[in-house]
Amino acid sequence: MWHSKRQLMSVESEVIDLYPPLNVTNGTNTTCILFYATNFTLTINTTVHMNLTNSTFIFHDVDTTSSVCSDTNATMTLCHILFLSRFLMTNMFYTSSSKNWFTLEFVHILQDNRDAEDEPAQFNVSTIYGPAEYSFHCPLVGTESHYDVLLIPANDKAKNWKIDISDFQIQAFNIENNIFSYASDCTSFFTPGIWMGLVTSLILLLILTYGIHMILNLTTNSRFDDPKGPALSVPQTE
């Protein structure tokens, strides 16, 4: 995988964060995973709808003790009353960029966290990766096809689920001072609006160039020329 074209930027919200990120310590006093979202919603069979935002980030009514962290792998496990979710991440060295990159590989969902040994609903993650010393941020992550990052069902159970995460940000490696590092953002430098502006400017520039070229090539009639007749020809002889 070639990562050199990944956009890196500092994620600075225009408004103050509503609450601090979820701090996963893996049973120690050292933070190993940070997770933040302004909306975290799960829906099963289009009928059972559960908004986990408040219970996860405000009331902290979530058990993260099953989370696992190491230098090469990290699994954030969120146990709610009726749902269990896992975010599985890896940290690998790539010779093409001569640095470590982290990747969110899979997302697992279980309807009843007491059945943790059952096969979970598994989702493959389309594009969540970045340098290991950075976090990752994306405005929309979920199962909807128009989202910036798509969670793709990998088994039959996953087809019954819908996941919606807004203002998603996560970091599982090289965390310092319990705050997010600079973020690798899913939004590219050239958004559709920027591309439209560039194309429009190019078209207008071509029209302007053509107009200037035509003006510079205009010629006026000599006072000896008959505008209605053939051009005056004066032979030159020695």
Side-chain angles (χ1 to χ4, degrees), residues 91 129 162 231:
N91 179 16
Y129 57 82
K162 177 183 176 183

Side-chain angles (χ1 to χ4, degrees), residues 58-200:
I58 297 179
F59 303 121
H60 299 288
D61 188 17
V62 57
D63 183 7
T64 62
T65 56
S66 298
S67 301
V68 178
C69 300
S70 70
D71 293 336
T72 57
N73 295 277
T75 300
M76 181 177 67
T77 302
L78 307 178
C79 295
H80 294 85
I81 296 176
L82 298 176
F83 298 94
L84 179 147
S85 56
R86 297 193 193 100
F87 296 75
L88 292 82
M89 292 161 281
T90 59
N91 179 16
M92 298 180 62
F93 179 81
Y94 289 89
T95 56
S96 58
S97 59
S98 299
K99 63 176 11 178
N100 283 64
W101 291 71
F102 80 89
T103 304
L104 177 57
E105 302 282 358
F106 306 105
V107 174
H108 292 170
I109 302 292
L110 280 169
Q111 184 174 1
D112 190 340
N113 58 32
R114 292 173 297 179
D115 298 328
E117 299 300 325
D118 290 351
E119 180 188 10
Q122 178 171 309
F123 298 85
N124 295 327
V125 184
S126 58
T127 53
I128 293 185
Y129 57 82
E133 64 271 20
Y134 288 85
S135 64
F136 180 90
H137 172 267
C138 196
L140 290 173
V141 175
T143 51
E144 296 292 337
S145 59
H146 63 276
Y147 282 2
D148 300 307
V149 171
L150 188 61
L151 302 181
I152 306 169
N155 56 16
D156 291 335
K157 286 188 175 182
K159 296 177 182 178
N160 299 323
W161 289 86
K162 177 183 176 183
I163 303 176
D164 298 283
I165 308 177
S166 302
D167 289 328
F168 174 89
Q169 188 166 4
I170 195 168
Q171 183 174 354
F173 305 98
N174 302 304
I175 297 174
E176 297 181 359
N177 301 322
N178 294 339
I179 59 175
F180 283 114
S181 303
Y182 287 104
S184 176
D185 201 276
C186 66
T187 304
S188 63
F189 283 115
F190 293 99
T191 62
I194 293 177
W195 278 115
M196 291 177 62
L198 290 175
V199 172
T200 303

